[in-house]
Amino acid sequence: MTTIRLQNTKTRKREDFVPIDPKNVRMYVCGPTVYDRAHIGNARPVIVFDVLYRLLRHVYGPDHVTYVRNFTDVDDKINARAAESGRTIQEITDETTQWYLDDMRAVGAMDPNFMPRATQYIPQMITMIEDLITKGFAYPDGAGHVLFSVNSYPKYGALSGRSTDDMIAGARVEIADNKRDPMDFVLWKPSDADQPGWDSPWGRGRPGWHIECSAMAKDLLGETFDIHGGGNDLTFPHHENEIAQSCCASGHAEDGEGFANYWLHNEMLQVEGKKMSKSQGNFFTVRDLLDQGIPGEVIRFVFLQTHYRNTMDWTAEKWKAASNTLRKWRTITSGLAPSVIDDEFLRLLGDDLNTAGAIARLHWLANDPSYDKSMQRSLLASAQFIGLLTPELGDWVQEAPVDFSIDKRVEELMSERWQAKQVKDYARADKIRDGLRLAGVVVEDSGDSYTYDFSPDFDATKLEDM
Ligand code: AMP
Ligand code: ZN
């Protein structure tokens, strides 16, 4: 059985994953705020946790994993979008929720088992807030707000390991008259007549952001569950606040136990070495890339080439190289039936989701010239396991037939090099190898045979000079 080891933000250690109940392994991942198209950074947690979901289903059985990812459909950014566009909140959230699902499916992500919307869980949020007030962890300000009292939870900051000073600076906390402490955060706030609102014991209002995840996770997964994920920008304050709310509500204010046992955070994505931003002109949505003709499968492949805890760089060179590799793999596996998932590939995935290593292993399988095609069949099974080389994502290859000319030229050069070695013309052989390297073709000799592959820096034009 594949062992799964995960780097747990909570303990700062890589730990063997032991589920509370192997018959029902439970995972919660913070989803998007729905008011616009998802940008490519938003796709990163989706793809990362999709791979973890697939791995958990493989190890514990597809019916024994419950994955929840929410939609935040009540938020001031949504209200602002409605006001500036003259459209209703419902229209905006319905439309962007559907966009999100379409775009994430286009990059091969499976739907989670539950995709709750915050607005469907207002009664559960109100109940939790009332409970926190009764137990002395939250207080109403008498003017329609309810605040969580951070001082009442001694473990606050344990997940991110931040000091109170850091947290105050990081959260850009507002010092407000209604707060007992500047760190206190909003659980409920009053709504004007033109803002979305629900009746509550504190008047008509709406929830603060953090309470929704605590209430939805409790309702769908229980007070204690296995894995909680999201981007590392959420560690503080969002995840600290979720923990504070949930642990205090469930009687774990002293020990900070309960709620999620393993916390996983993906690093951020940047574009061509820079933080993605609209003003820099390097801001893309997933749909922008798909519309440019970059296939969802290629996007997925590029994401998986970087380990989830490293910063990922989206570059044009990477997606071009990824599309070359996928074309090649689709060609050598075409017409074959998938066999078994490669053991080493699974071991790498189980090792804190080492997708980068797992992809390197796929290259290795692809380069094996076995006559019975057993390696290619295993390549197919393994790649499909992480959502690559699937029939669903394969349309783009049929639309644009494989261009063999590059492979053919490399083959010619490789065979010329082979001949040169046979006649001990090492100068010529090395010259060809160096030229190939310069073009980004990685050449590997093993005994009597050789393999080659295209690195992300592959540049076909450099082959022309050889
Ligand atoms: P948001 O809608 O901004 O709350 O983000 C939804 C998810 O995308 C969260 O898990 C964020 O942590 C994640 N996320 C946002 N920006 C990036 C980025 N540049 N790289 C990776 N993940 C991101
Ligand atoms: Zn959340």
Side-chain angles (χ1 to χ4, degrees):
M1 184 155 132
T2 308
T3 325
I4 303 181
R5 285 172 70 73
L6 299 172
Q7 176 72 28
N8 190 350
T9 310
K10 186 169 153 181
T11 57
R12 291 168 187 72
K13 289 197 188 99
R14 193 176 290 201
E15 300 174 333
D16 282 346
F17 174 67
V18 184
I20 300 164
D21 174 8
K23 292 261 172 283
N24 186 16
V25 180
R26 287 159 285 160
M27 172 161 83
Y28 186 97
V29 174
C30 297
T33 306
V34 275
Y35 63 102
D36 210 340
R37 285 276 181 195
H39 62 64
I40 59 172
N42 296 138
R44 194 165 191 205
V46 174
I47 294 175
V48 165
F49 291 101
D50 178 62
V51 171
L52 181 54
Y53 180 45
R54 288 166 190 257
L55 185 63
L56 293 168
R57 285 164 57 97
H58 174 76
V59 174
Y60 297 96
D63 298 333
H64 300 299
V65 184
T66 310
Y67 173 20
V68 178
R69 187 184 63 217
N70 67 304
F71 284 108
T72 301
D73 63 349
V74 49
D75 185 279
D76 291 346
K77 288 194 280 283
I78 306 174
N79 303 344
R81 185 56 59 94
E84 77 202 19
S85 65
R87 302 177 70 199
T88 67
I89 286 175
Q90 182 86 34
E91 271 171 2
I92 291 172
T93 57
D94 282 353
E95 180 181 68
T96 48
T97 299
Q98 192 55 49
W99 282 349
Y100 184 83
L101 290 173
D102 293 344
D103 296 350
M104 298 308 137
R105 287 172 188 155
V107 294
M110 293 172 69
D111 286 350
N113 303 89
F114 295 97
M115 295 187 277
R117 295 175 180 219
T119 51
Q120 296 165 334
Y121 285 79
I122 303 288
Q124 290 88 333
M125 293 187 224
I126 292 176
T127 304
M128 193 177 249
I129 297 170
E130 284 181 302
D131 191 27
L132 287 168
I133 296 174
T134 311
K135 291 175 175 160
F137 298 108
Y139 56 95
D141 72 349
H145 296 84
V146 181
L147 292 131
F148 185 91
S149 167
V150 167
N151 283 331
S152 68
Y153 178 56
K155 296 267 174 177
Y156 193 79
L159 180 74
S160 53
R162 288 176 186 231
S163 68
T164 312
D165 285 350
D166 276 359
M167 287 191 280
I168 290 178
R172 287 189 218 117
V173 293
E174 277 172 56
I175 316 249
D177 292 344
N178 65 345
K179 288 188 184 178
R180 291 185 190 160
D181 184 282
M183 292 288 293
D184 292 354
F185 60 88
V186 170
L187 298 173
W188 190 264
K189 54 189 171 187
S191 292
D192 297 342
D194 56 353
Q195 287 170 325
W198 291 263
D199 289 331
S200 82
W202 318 285
R204 184 177 172 278
R206 60 194 191 284
W209 169 31
H210 316 292
I211 193 71
E212 70 179 75
C213 290
S214 287
M216 291 188 277
K218 181 178 173 196
D219 199 81
L220 293 164
L221 299 176
E223 273 180 354
T224 301
F225 55 96
D226 298 296
I227 299 170
H228 194 312
N232 70 353
D233 57 328
L234 301 183
T235 317
F236 176 80
H238 182 54
H239 290 161
E240 293 286 5
N241 294 355
E242 282 188 35
I243 293 175
Q245 295 160 164
S246 294
C247 291
C248 290
S250 70
H252 284 285
E254 287 307 316
D255 58 14
E257 290 304 317
F259 202 41
N261 286 343
Y262 300 83
W263 284 83
L264 261 68
H265 290 100
N266 64 271
E267 250 298 344
M268 294 291 101
L269 170 147
Q270 51 184 32
V271 175
E272 306 281 355
K274 295 199 188 79
K275 186 172 185 238
M276 186 165 53
S277 85
K278 285 193 174 143
S279 61
Q280 290 276 320
N282 66 348
F283 179 96
F284 303 109
T285 65
V286 174
R287 184 51 52 180
D288 290 335
L289 298 183
L290 295 167
D291 287 349
Q292 281 169 32
I294 304 174
E297 183 178 36
V298 170
I299 298 174
R300 184 175 180 90
F301 187 96
V302 172
F303 275 62
L304 295 178
Q305 273 181 314
T306 304
H307 186 252
Y308 77 95
R309 284 192 296 106
N310 292 335
T311 302
M312 182 201 141
D313 200 19
W314 173 268
T315 68
E317 256 178 281
K318 275 192 189 170
W319 76 253
K320 285 177 193 158
S323 91
N324 278 335
T325 303
L326 286 167
R327 267 176 210 283
K328 187 176 141 194
W329 291 359
R330 281 199 175 268
T331 309
I332 61 176
T333 56
S334 122
L336 297 182
S339 61
V340 286
I341 304 167
D342 178 67
D343 278 342
E344 175 62 6
F345 173 84
L346 271 179
R347 189 194 66 74
L348 288 158
L349 286 181
D351 183 16
D352 196 29
L353 298 185
N354 184 359
T355 54
I359 292 221
R361 179 70 181 176
L362 296 182
H363 279 286
W364 185 84
L365 291 170
N367 288 338
D368 189 282
S370 54
Y371 287 114
D372 63 355
K373 306 261 182 211
S374 60
M375 293 297 201
Q376 286 89 333
R377 287 205 170 91
S378 182
L379 164 69
L380 190 56
S382 308
Q384 288 187 341
F385 181 69
I386 52 170
L388 299 170
L389 306 188
T390 58
E392 303 85 70
L393 295 190
D395 287 352
W396 66 282
V397 176
Q398 271 109 58
E399 279 163 18
V402 183
D403 174 9
F404 282 107
S405 55
I406 291 172
D407 270 326
K408 214 169 130 234
R409 180 73 188 123
V410 174
E411 290 283 5
E412 273 168 19
L413 288 161
M414 290 295 289
S415 121
E416 203 185 319
R417 175 170 168 265
W418 181 251
Q419 303 294 331
K421 277 172 85 171
Q422 297 309 301
V423 298
K424 300 205 168 15
D425 182 358
Y426 295 115
R428 174 74 191 136
D430 288 351
K431 195 162 174 245
I432 296 174
R433 188 199 53 209
D434 293 346
L436 285 167
R437 262 198 202 142
L438 219 71
V441 181
V442 186
V443 179
E444 239 178 272
D445 290 308
S446 52
D448 277 350
S449 65
Y450 60 81
T451 57
Y452 68 88
D453 206 352
F454 300 103
S455 80
D457 312 318
F458 176 66
D459 180 353
T461 55
K462 292 197 178 136
L463 291 177
E464 289 161 15
D465 315 332
M466 291 182 62

